[in-house]
Amino acid sequence: METPVFTGLSAFPLTPIAADGDIDEEAFARLVRRLAAAGVDSIGALGSTGSYAYLTLPERARAARIAVEHADGVPVVVGIGALRTRDVLAAAEDAQHAGAAGVLLAPVSYQPLTGDEVFGLYEDVTAHLSVPLVVYDNPRTTRFTFTDELYARVGRLPRVASVKIPGVPADPAAALARVARLREILPPHVTVGVSGDASGAAGLIAGCDAWYSVTAGTLPGPVLAITRAAQAGRAGRAQEESERLRPLWELFARHGSLRVIAAVAAELGLTPHDSLPRPLRGLSGDDHGQVADVLRRLRLDA
Amino acid sequence: METPVFTGLSAFPLTPIAADGDIDEEAFARLVRRLAAAGVDSIGALGSTGSYAYLTLPERARAARIAVEHADGVPVVVGIGALRTRDVLAAAEDAQHAGAAGVLLAPVSYQPLTGDEVFGLYEDVTAHLSVPLVVYDNPRTTRFTFTDELYARVGRLPRVASVKIPGVPADPAAALARVARLREILPPHVTVGVSGDASGAAGLIAGCDAWYSVTAGTLPGPVLAITRAAQAGRAGRAQEESERLRPLWELFARHGSLRVIAAVAAELGLTPHDSLPRPLRGLSGDDHGQVADVLRRLRLDA
């Protein structure tokens, strides 16, 4: 099974929320068009950055349709995670009807989940899917940690096309070994995608097939530059540009990437000032000022 | 402000899910009637044990009405937590319309929440409430840890009537000191309720006003015995009965209290075999057998 969708740069846009609590559909469509125009390889709508966990199923169905409609042919992967399997299945149906090229599923939890429960979730969902699925491993939000054994079990399920890993070790040799190990345990058609943007360049250099990027959802240009350099074997150039963006990654580590990228989008005039769903709150005061400052220093404020 | 509801034993029933994925309303009503008949002081419908996080708003509204209808005048406190503030406000409206004597709110999270975001959630919700609110601190499911400073800030909000703490230290002197500290930082009308059933007797003996109990939602008898002993100042008797139930608490620690109490309810014929919402799965095989075994050994299988 060929899975060209799950390689290269996948950019995750915000789903901006208007002051009345509804999705700001115009701002969302604008963000999607911006990514298509920049030439990203795929668009990850309704990822964690797209606040999928906070939206109703009808809101998510509508956002998926908007994303596909404005993606100008760029494949759209849609997040379908939910606390309850029944809702995941409904979101998967809606994403497929919207024309998603694939779906992205994290084991969202309230009660901490067992490995068998997470396997059962992927088993139940893939049995009902007709598009490829990305296994989304994000312990920061799901509070579930995959073991390699579980990666291997889930990786063998039908429709599983990629695994979105939370990062690679900082040490290049350890990163190489980690990606090599993932290759060993996953079937050959399952791609490995790195996330955690600070780790993106290192992940691609270590052999990951894809970069699932928060930053690229709002600032596609610099992330594409890193990706294309890494893909062309210019590891030094990729590392250099990633290093240049370090002040941004540092803000991500301090405030969470979502709050920072929402502030970036607001600074660039792409979204209303605070576009996060309550109870989340956008950065304010000094924290927002630091984001604006970093944008200016890195010349990302154009 | 007097808050007699938030003292004594509050019992948290399961919300059993039928094979078709809908709430088993008959089984739920039966559990509620069982608690009222046993003489618990309040009923905590749609707590973590009641799987609120997995249910739709209409399902939760319906379950709240059933609980109040079958509680025979015993006050019902209804869980209103949700990932999004908008949904919390809707659940609060529904709970109040159903006749809830109070609501219970945990800072449920997907993106890890900041202290200011959690305060903002309680501020937004209490501004719209006309019944008392229990602050529900359960880091195991919310992955949010309250600081004492935040307890104090939230405790001063209108309508806040009680704090459900996740437990007290095992050492009796430390437990006393902890409850004394909570008394210092909380306004005098805010009661302190212990949860984590292994810690219940110790909490009451250390001066907690209430016990918010998972076990009592299915096995009210033995938990009432402990509660009444502690309330009568018979600390030794309370500790003895709590100690007798230790094999049950040990299973809670191993599998999570929800999976164990669901197995207990099934063993007692109160619910269908596996009544948990997917992706959660009931205990099976040896794990279920151990629960049945403990019930028999403790003579709780009547």
Side-chain angles (χ1 to χ4, degrees), chain B residues 137-231:
Chain B
D137 179 7
N138 186 355
R140 186 172 174 275
T141 56
T142 64
R143 288 76 173 206
F144 179 81
T145 301
F146 280 82
T147 60
D148 280 0
E149 191 244 334
L150 184 59
Y151 270 159
R153 280 181 80 196
V154 171
R156 284 192 297 268
L157 287 169
R159 254 77 66 195
V160 171
S162 184
V163 176
K164 178 180 188 294
I165 63 171
V168 293
D171 173 64
L176 267 172
R178 179 67 191 136
V179 176
R181 172 73 185 138
L182 288 168
R183 297 275 178 227
E184 263 173 44
I185 63 177
L186 292 170
H189 66 269
V190 174
T191 70
V192 176
V194 67
S195 62
D197 284 344
S199 202
L204 292 177
I205 292 165
C208 288
D209 309 284
W211 181 357
Y212 296 107
S213 169
V214 171
T215 306
T218 298
L219 295 167
V223 186
L224 263 171
I226 299 171
T227 305
R228 297 305 178 229
Q231 288 175 322

Side-chain angles (χ1 to χ4, degrees), chain B residues 77-96:
Chain B
V77 179
V78 173
I80 61 169
L83 285 167
R84 189 152 179 201
T85 303
R86 193 171 60 172
D87 295 334
V88 177
L89 292 170
E93 274 300 305
D94 292 341
Q96 290 175 103

Side-chain angles (χ1 to χ4, degrees), chain B residues 9-283:
Chain B
L9 180 61
S10 189
F12 283 71
L14 293 156
T15 310
I17 305 298
D20 65 3
D22 291 333
I23 293 173
D24 184 335
E25 298 189 352
E26 275 187 39
F28 179 58
R30 199 159 53 229
L31 285 169
V32 171
R33 287 195 301 269
R34 179 178 160 89
L35 301 181
V40 301
D41 298 307
S42 65
I43 293 169
L46 298 167
S48 293
T49 303
S51 293
Y52 73 94
Y54 300 89
L55 303 175
T56 63
L57 288 172
E59 284 175 324
R60 294 168 66 167
R62 172 93 184 120
R65 288 196 300 274
I66 292 172
V68 172
E69 192 182 318
H70 290 267
D72 196 24
V74 176
V76 175
V77 179
V78 173
I80 61 169
L83 285 167
R84 189 152 179 201
T85 303
R86 193 171 60 172
D87 295 334
V88 177
L89 292 170
E93 274 300 305
D94 292 341
Q96 290 175 103
H97 284 143
V103 294
L104 176 76
L105 176 57
V108 185
S109 74
Y110 177 75
Q111 296 285 345
L113 296 173
T114 66
D116 282 344
E117 286 170 342
V118 169
F119 179 75
L121 168 69
Y122 284 102
E123 197 177 32
D124 289 345
V125 172
T126 53
H128 289 86
L129 269 187
S130 50
V131 298
L133 177 137
V134 182
V135 176
Y136 180 12
D137 179 7
N138 186 355
R140 186 172 174 275
T141 56
T142 64
R143 288 76 173 206
F144 179 81
T145 301
F146 280 82
T147 60
D148 280 0
E149 191 244 334
L150 184 59
Y151 270 159
R153 280 181 80 196
V154 171
R156 284 192 297 268
L157 287 169
R159 254 77 66 195
V160 171
S162 184
V163 176
K164 178 180 188 294
I165 63 171
V168 293
D171 173 64
L176 267 172
R178 179 67 191 136
V179 176
R181 172 73 185 138
L182 288 168
R183 297 275 178 227
E184 263 173 44
I185 63 177
L186 292 170
H189 66 269
V190 174
T191 70
V192 176
V194 67
S195 62
D197 284 344
S199 202
L204 292 177
I205 292 165
C208 288
D209 309 284
W211 181 357
Y212 296 107
S213 169
V214 171
T215 306
T218 298
L219 295 167
V223 186
L224 263 171
I226 299 171
T227 305
R228 297 305 178 229
Q231 288 175 322
R234 299 171 60 206
R237 178 77 193 87
Q239 280 162 327
E240 201 178 281
E241 178 66 1
S242 178
E243 191 56 35
R244 190 178 81 84
L245 299 182
R246 179 187 291 272
L248 197 58
W249 318 143
E250 283 170 356
L251 290 173
F252 281 18
R254 194 171 320 148
H255 301 294
S257 61
L258 176 59
R259 293 184 193 86
V260 175
I261 210 67
V264 168
E267 267 305 299
L268 299 182
L270 298 169
T271 61
H273 176 63
D274 177 1
S275 66
L276 300 180
R278 292 277 177 280
L280 302 179
R281 305 210 170 216
L283 301 179

